[in-house]
Structures are given as structure tokens and as C-alpha cells.
Amino acid sequence: MFTGIIEEQGAVTAVAPSGDGVRLTVRAPLAVSDAAHGDSIAVSGVCLTVVDQGDDWFTADVMRQTLDMSTLGSFGPGTPVNLERAMAAHGRLGGHIVQGHVDGTGEVLEVRPGAQWRVLRIGLPAALAPLVVDKGSVAVDGVSLTVSAASEPAAADHWFEVSLIPETLEVTTLGARTAGDRVNLETDILARHVQRLFGFSAAAAAATPDLTTEGDPR
């Protein structure tokens, strides 16, 4: 479990094939300062498990599904990444509940600079659009952000906007994002549960006969 508050920027140092996945090595001095074998570290929003480590690096295995669902499949040596250690039970929840289970990717459509901030408009798949609401929470490349605008439900193409303060621009990789870049998206866990519950409710209602419309069998 994570909070979406990035602790440091690291960088990929090696990517090696491993079965149908890869073994990823990341330079992460702070993240490994108290890490142990089997610990979880979020890499640009993706929860990975430490399988090897050194003084300032760790290695994790990335399965094929993760490569297909996230931007990790495009990573190579030198790729900068956002890093966050798993949340401590006694710590403050400064962002929002982030699992590190990426729902998919989105594309940066527009970057609008402001006097002291920057607005990113990000396109997202239609299946994820109902889970992103104005003033709600979303994780973009592992960064906990508040949605500042969202497309209408009837829109042909779905998008949302986030407004980045100077601190976010400086300490995360989002400050270097430009139009056309792909980013990892994780929607709010509560929204996903509500959507699932409504799906079961609708299925149950469809399977229940409507006796009020049936004729008298006698």
C-alpha cells in the first residue's frame, strides 16, 4: 500500500530479459536505505518486489501482464522513475490510498503552463473514464493528484486534467512530461469497488423475472 507521495526520483540502470518478462534494476538510494528482500517499492506507480539490492540500487522482476498494462515495457537504461516505499502503518496518509496496481496508461494531450503551476490534460480509455471525477483522486505515474477537470460522460474522447504545483514539478518526473508522452494511471480504489458492486446489482436485476408484467397463467 502506498500514498502517492513520491520520495525520490531514481533511474533505471539495467533491463534484462527474464522468461516472458524482464528483470529491472533501479538506482534508488533512499528507497533501499531500509529495504529488505521481498519489500514493495512503487516504480512510477507500479508496485514491484525487491529480489536483490545493493547500497543504492534494487532489482525487481516484472511480469508480462505488468509490461502490457503499464509504461514499464518501454523503460530502458537511463529512464527516470518516481519511487515510493510502502506506507508505514504508523505514518500519515498524505496523498490517497494507492495500491500500485495500474489500471492502464493514458496519453498527455496538452501541457498548459501557468504563473506558478502547470496543467496536464491526459486522455484515458473509455473504460476508466467513469472512475475519474472532478475533485477526486487519481495516481499518475505513482503521483497522488487531485482531478481539476474531467470530460463529460457523453464526450467522444475522454480526458481529465491535473494541476501541478512547483513542488510536484520539481520532485517527480511529471515536470518533464510533454504532449504525446504515456503515463501510468491508477484510479481511486473506492470508485472501482462501487463500479463493481453496481455491476453485480445490475446483473442480479436483469436475472430476476418482472412478475408485474406477466399475465395470469390461469
Side-chain angles (χ1 to χ4, degrees):
M1 193 74 70
F2 306 92
T3 69
I5 303 300
I6 302 304
E7 296 183 291
E8 68 174 328
Q9 282 193 58
V12 175
T13 60
V15 181
S18 178
D20 66 347
V22 300
R23 178 160 282 200
L24 195 71
T25 300
V26 179
R27 184 181 180 277
L30 176 61
V32 301
S33 63
D34 61 353
H37 184 90
D39 281 357
S40 296
I41 298 176
V43 178
S44 289
V46 180
C47 178
L48 298 180
T49 300
V50 176
V51 297
D52 195 11
Q53 66 187 99
D55 291 339
D56 65 350
W57 59 269
F58 75 93
T59 296
D61 290 317
V62 187
M63 67 178 67
R64 170 50 54 187
Q65 181 183 20
T66 302
L67 296 175
D68 292 340
M69 290 288 293
S70 72
T71 62
L72 268 63
S74 65
F75 284 8
T79 300
V81 292
N82 296 320
L83 299 171
E84 181 189 356
R85 293 169 291 182
M87 178 179 66
H90 64 277
R92 292 184 174 90
L93 184 59
H96 71 283
I97 297 174
V98 177
Q99 293 182 295
H101 302 161
V102 171
D103 293 306
T105 63
E107 180 183 351
V108 177
L109 303 176
E110 181 184 0
V111 179
R112 299 198 308 273
Q116 295 182 350
W117 61 87
R118 195 174 301 166
V119 176
L120 267 60
R121 176 172 289 196
I122 299 171
L124 76 166
L128 300 184
L131 305 176
V132 178
V133 300
D134 189 24
K135 304 303 185 291
S137 296
V138 65
V140 179
D141 278 348
V143 183
S144 174
L145 298 169
T146 299
V147 177
S148 55
S151 57
E152 294 296 326
D157 298 307
H158 294 284
W159 54 265
F160 68 93
E161 292 183 349
V162 288
S163 300
L164 309 180
I165 62 174
E167 176 71 7
T168 303
L169 295 171
E170 181 179 350
V171 304
T172 77
T173 61
L174 297 184
R177 291 302 182 196
T178 60
D181 287 348
R182 299 206 68 80
V183 291
N184 293 321
L185 302 178
E186 182 183 334
T187 57
D188 184 69
I189 184 174
L190 296 178
R192 297 202 302 271
H193 277 294
V194 170
Q195 183 186 58
R196 181 70 168 166
L197 288 171
F198 271 115
F200 274 106
S201 297
T208 302
D210 185 357
L211 300 179
T212 62
T213 62
E214 294 184 0
D216 189 337
R218 291 177 298 174

